[in-house]
Amino acid sequence: MYTRVAAVLTPILAVALVITGFWGYREHRQKQAVLLKAENQYQRAFHDLTTHVDQLQDELGKAMAINSVRQQTPCMTNIWRLAFAAQSDVGQLPLTLMPFHKTQEFLNNIGQFSYRLGVKDPQKPLGAEDWATLKNLYGQAAQVETDLRQVQSNVLSHNLRWMDAEMAISDTQKKGDNQIIDGFQKLEKQVTEFPEVSFGPTNRTLESRIQEQPMQALGPEASPQQVAAKVKQFLGVAGKETVKVQENGKGNPTPSYSVTVQDGQASHMFLDVTKQGGHVLWYMNDRAVNGEKVDLSTGAAGAASWLRAHGYPVMEMIQADQTDNVGVYEFIPVERGVRLYPDKVTVKVALDNGEVIGLSAKDYVYHHRPRNLPVPTLSLAQAQQRLSPHVTVHEHHLALIPNDEKQEVLAYEFLGTIDRDTYRIYINAQNGDEEGVEKMRREPSGTAQSW
């Protein structure tokens, strides 16, 4: 009898082993493909960062030699662009769990300084103090360039992998050496020790930001367990999902948790949540979006409904775009008829089924608060007189906006056209200054996509 049972079970077990082996091999190949893709992205971002810092340092040196406003403006604008590109490169590297804020702040300061000289005041020649600032920034950028070049040399000569660095950063139990981490820690230490740079009397607010709520106003400190429960409630999941909560690196000016949720399928969900109060800063579902069955307008209605269901106040949509099969919508709260631009929220909707798959709410979390909104000094008619006579006005609103100095100001917002182009123009409601002009994007049909 045992012989007959063995004769039946042996082929079955053999087939099961083959199937298991094939499944394991396929899973391994898929995992390797994902890791390879991530590694390639990290490598590209790092080498782009090195190139952009090289170019930034060259442009700073060039700016020191320029003696005409005509040449100064494009040079400063290019410095601003390169500083922004370098910040974007840093954001694509797996450095969230280690302090790297001083280097990001350094790049931001260069961008803000060059913006003032090249964009905000393009006809203002360099004074002695501005030139001295350029010289200091040039020398400091040279040191950043040298440190990055050293890391790049180590990466290339030793075939270092960013995935290994990411694992080393996240492993708090091990303190093993990693040349990439060591290089970036050296860079951060170097930037921290840079002497204070004066950005001139007209740029004293460079370090300021739009007023944020105090951290304690966000609520009591949330534990990882409390954050996991809040995330499940936020996502509306049943409870069988795997939720991993990890505290972000020490030294982060806004303490938060990184959360990963896996529902047993191919997709993952990622969130950043504040440590104070457990508020969601951003959310992303990385699932594939297959085709387009929901139009942009229907997706907008779904996004607005989703915001209401998640406790956000009355919101007004101001912008809608579509990338591939995903709708991207910008919303702002409206209080007593005033649009609150500092409190913006962005929602992503999959247009295959209308599901919300992304949220960016950092501005809302850190800025939304009770305000004593000012009363306009200028009337609507007086503000409209400050517009170019070539603009045909179609809409107008009161809006609270950040100005170039990152201060909140009350402005009249005009939506107008010149020929077939649409613009948003902001006139300060207190003093009549033109605070900003934004050209709206045009859709293929020729209409500006604004809401």
Side-chain angles (χ1 to χ4, degrees):
M1 185 177 86
Y2 292 113
T3 303
R4 268 181 277 166
V5 171
V8 172
L9 290 180
T10 298
I12 295 175
L13 290 173
V15 171
L17 286 172
V18 170
I19 293 174
T20 302
F22 174 75
W23 178 82
Y25 174 74
R26 187 181 66 175
E27 289 292 306
H28 174 74
R29 289 289 299 271
Q30 290 176 343
K31 181 179 179 181
Q32 290 300 112
V34 170
L35 292 176
L36 179 60
K37 181 179 179 181
E39 178 65 28
N40 290 339
Q41 290 174 338
Y42 290 152
Q43 292 286 356
R44 176 191 55 75
F46 171 65
H47 293 298
D48 283 350
L49 171 63
T50 305
T51 299
H52 286 140
V53 170
D54 286 348
Q55 295 172 342
L56 180 64
Q57 205 263 346
D58 290 342
E59 286 294 313
L60 286 167
K62 176 181 172 181
M64 292 169 57
I66 288 175
N67 195 38
S68 70
V69 173
R70 186 173 66 86
Q71 293 293 328
Q72 172 188 308
T73 297
C75 182
M76 288 296 172
T77 303
N78 204 30
I79 292 173
W80 175 48
R81 178 185 62 81
L82 289 168
F84 180 82
Q87 290 181 76
S88 177
D89 297 332
V90 171
Q92 297 176 58
L93 296 174
L95 301 174
T96 56
L97 299 180
M98 64 177 285
F100 203 62
H101 314 297
K102 284 295 182 182
T103 303
Q104 292 173 302
E105 184 179 319
F106 171 71
L107 293 171
N108 180 68
N109 286 349
I110 292 178
Q112 294 279 7
F113 176 71
S114 59
Y115 174 85
R116 175 175 66 85
L117 293 179
V119 180
K120 185 183 176 186
D121 298 320
Q123 301 305 317
K124 181 181 177 181
L126 284 180
E129 191 170 1
D130 286 335
W131 194 89
T133 298
L134 268 178
K135 184 178 180 181
N136 283 329
L137 292 175
Y138 175 74
Q140 292 173 357
Q143 295 180 52
V144 173
E145 179 188 29
T146 299
D147 288 343
L148 279 176
R149 281 295 181 192
Q150 182 60 52
V151 177
Q152 186 180 50
S153 175
N154 289 335
V155 168
L156 295 174
S157 60
H158 298 96
N159 294 318
L160 302 180
R161 288 168 18 108
W162 276 92
M163 296 303 296
D164 294 336
E166 184 178 31
M167 293 177 63
I169 292 173
S170 61
D171 191 345
T172 58
Q173 302 301 318
K174 297 181 180 180
K175 300 296 182 182
D177 292 334
N178 184 283
Q179 293 183 63
I180 293 178
I181 297 175
D182 293 344
F184 273 85
Q185 287 177 336
K186 177 185 176 184
L187 171 58
E188 178 73 358
K189 183 175 184 294
Q190 179 73 60
V191 175
T192 302
E193 294 173 354
F194 282 163
E196 190 75 21
V197 174
S198 171
F199 288 93
T202 62
N203 208 45
R204 295 190 190 281
T205 56
L206 179 68
E207 297 295 334
S208 68
R209 300 292 184 267
I210 301 172
Q211 183 182 357
E212 296 181 352
Q213 295 194 85
M215 289 295 101
Q216 62 269 22
L218 297 178
E221 185 173 305
S223 67
Q225 294 78 15
Q226 291 171 322
V227 165
K230 284 197 172 190
V231 164
K232 287 185 176 182
Q233 182 181 13
F234 177 85
L235 297 176
V237 295
K240 298 180 180 179
E241 292 74 13
T242 301
V243 180
K244 295 181 180 179
V245 180
Q246 188 168 28
E247 186 173 352
N248 284 331
K250 294 181 179 179
N252 194 319
T254 53
S256 60
Y257 295 102
S258 290
V259 184
T260 304
V261 181
Q262 186 173 6
D263 59 5
Q265 301 176 0
S267 65
H268 291 70
M269 290 170 277
F270 305 94
L271 305 93
D272 257 17
V273 179
T274 61
K275 194 170 184 180
Q276 296 295 134
H279 302 280
V280 175
L281 296 172
W282 65 266
Y283 154 64
M284 180 185 69
N285 185 335
D286 72 347
R287 75 167 179 83
V289 180
N290 302 310
E292 180 185 343
K293 299 178 183 178
V294 176
D295 62 32
L296 200 60
S297 179
T298 303
S305 176
W306 186 90
L307 286 172
R308 288 194 298 271
H310 283 77
Y312 290 90
V314 176
M315 291 270 188
E316 186 172 328
M317 187 172 64
I318 58 167
Q319 187 76 32
D321 290 299
Q322 182 173 342
T323 303
D324 296 327
N325 297 313
V326 176
V328 182
Y329 308 93
E330 292 182 2
F331 290 84
I332 51 175
V334 180
E335 184 178 325
R336 287 177 288 173
V338 178
R339 293 177 161 192
L340 305 179
Y341 274 91
D343 304 1
K344 183 181 68 174
V345 172
T346 302
V347 180
K348 288 187 176 183
V349 175
L351 299 180
D352 56 356
N353 64 1
E355 179 188 13
V356 171
I357 58 171
L359 171 74
S360 176
K362 185 175 181 180
D363 288 341
Y364 178 85
V365 170
Y366 289 130
H367 299 147
H368 190 66
R369 64 190 184 278
R371 292 177 171 93
N372 293 320
L373 294 173
V375 176
T377 302
L378 272 65
S379 67
L380 174 63
Q382 289 173 322
Q384 191 162 342
Q385 289 176 356
R386 304 297 180 103
L387 299 177
S388 166
H390 303 289
V391 174
T392 301
V393 175
H394 299 281
E395 293 181 22
H396 57 80
H397 310 271
L398 273 175
L400 194 72
I401 64 170
N403 63 10
D404 290 335
E405 283 74 36
K406 306 298 182 184
Q407 298 167 333
E408 292 183 351
V409 296
L410 184 68
Y412 286 102
E413 175 187 20
F414 295 97
L415 192 69
T417 56
I418 300 177
D419 295 330
R420 296 174 66 242
D421 292 320
T422 304
Y423 299 85
R424 277 201 183 105
I425 305 169
Y426 300 95
I427 302 297
N428 191 304
Q430 309 301 127
N431 57 26
D433 287 347
E434 189 176 68
E435 295 289 352
V437 178
E438 177 187 359
K439 186 176 183 292
M440 306 300 294
R441 290 182 289 273
R442 291 168 61 89
E443 294 300 298
S445 61
T447 58
Q449 189 66 46
S450 61
W451 302 78

